[in-house]
Amino acid sequence: MVATKQVRAAAPVVDRLLKDRRVQDQLLDAGDHLSQVYRRVSRRKAKAAEDKKVYAHVRKGVVALRKAGTTATEPRRRPWGKLLALTVVAGGAAVVFANRDARAKVTSAIGGTSGSADGAESSPQPAGY
């Protein structure tokens, strides 16, 4: 029962580790630094403990792993830019639709005829019966 709860809690994090491009880039960066550490230590043997480049690569690799972990566990951000743009466009359309003068300006600007919304002025009415 406890293991099931732990698996459910870890599922979003694992999903993000597999699908989020930022997390994958950070993991690749960490792997690159740590593989450079391994190559340098395997060549230098005893002098590797004094090598400043080894320490720099270890530090950068650990920082990248920490960033990947925090990125994978933080909640996803919503794309507010797209929502804001959609709201501005919808608001502008509502203003144009509600304001007859603005509607006439827009239709003349795009090359249409400037008639009323119901089309009464643009189409002739049949002769009276």
Side-chain angles (χ1 to χ4, degrees):
M1 192 65 131
V2 174
T4 306
K5 288 181 182 179
Q6 291 174 342
V7 169
R8 284 185 190 152
V13 175
V14 172
D15 184 51
R16 193 137 183 216
L17 284 171
L18 295 174
K19 294 181 180 177
D20 194 346
R21 185 69 188 162
R22 289 187 311 158
V23 175
Q24 291 175 359
D25 287 342
Q26 291 165 347
L27 289 173
L28 286 172
D29 191 34
D32 183 44
H33 284 294
L34 296 177
S35 68
Q36 289 177 5
V37 167
Y38 175 76
R39 277 187 255 130
R40 194 157 179 96
V41 167
S42 65
R43 281 185 279 150
R44 304 259 340 216
K45 304 283 181 195
K47 295 181 182 179
E50 300 169 3
D51 194 354
K52 291 183 180 183
K53 287 187 179 181
V54 168
Y55 283 110
H57 284 300
V58 168
R59 184 174 41 254
K60 289 177 183 177
V62 170
V63 167
L65 281 174
R66 184 175 48 91
K67 284 182 181 179
T70 56
T71 302
T73 57
E74 71 186 8
R76 291 186 183 193
R77 292 186 236 163
R78 293 201 169 264
W80 290 108
K82 292 178 184 178
L83 184 63
L84 179 63
L86 180 65
T87 305
V88 168
V89 169
V95 167
V96 168
F97 183 73
N99 189 344
R100 183 174 293 180
D101 294 333
R103 189 176 30 219
K105 287 180 183 178
V106 169
T107 54
S108 66
I110 59 175
T113 60
S114 61
S116 67
D118 59 359
E121 296 174 5
S122 61
S123 62
Q125 297 292 330
Y129 282 34

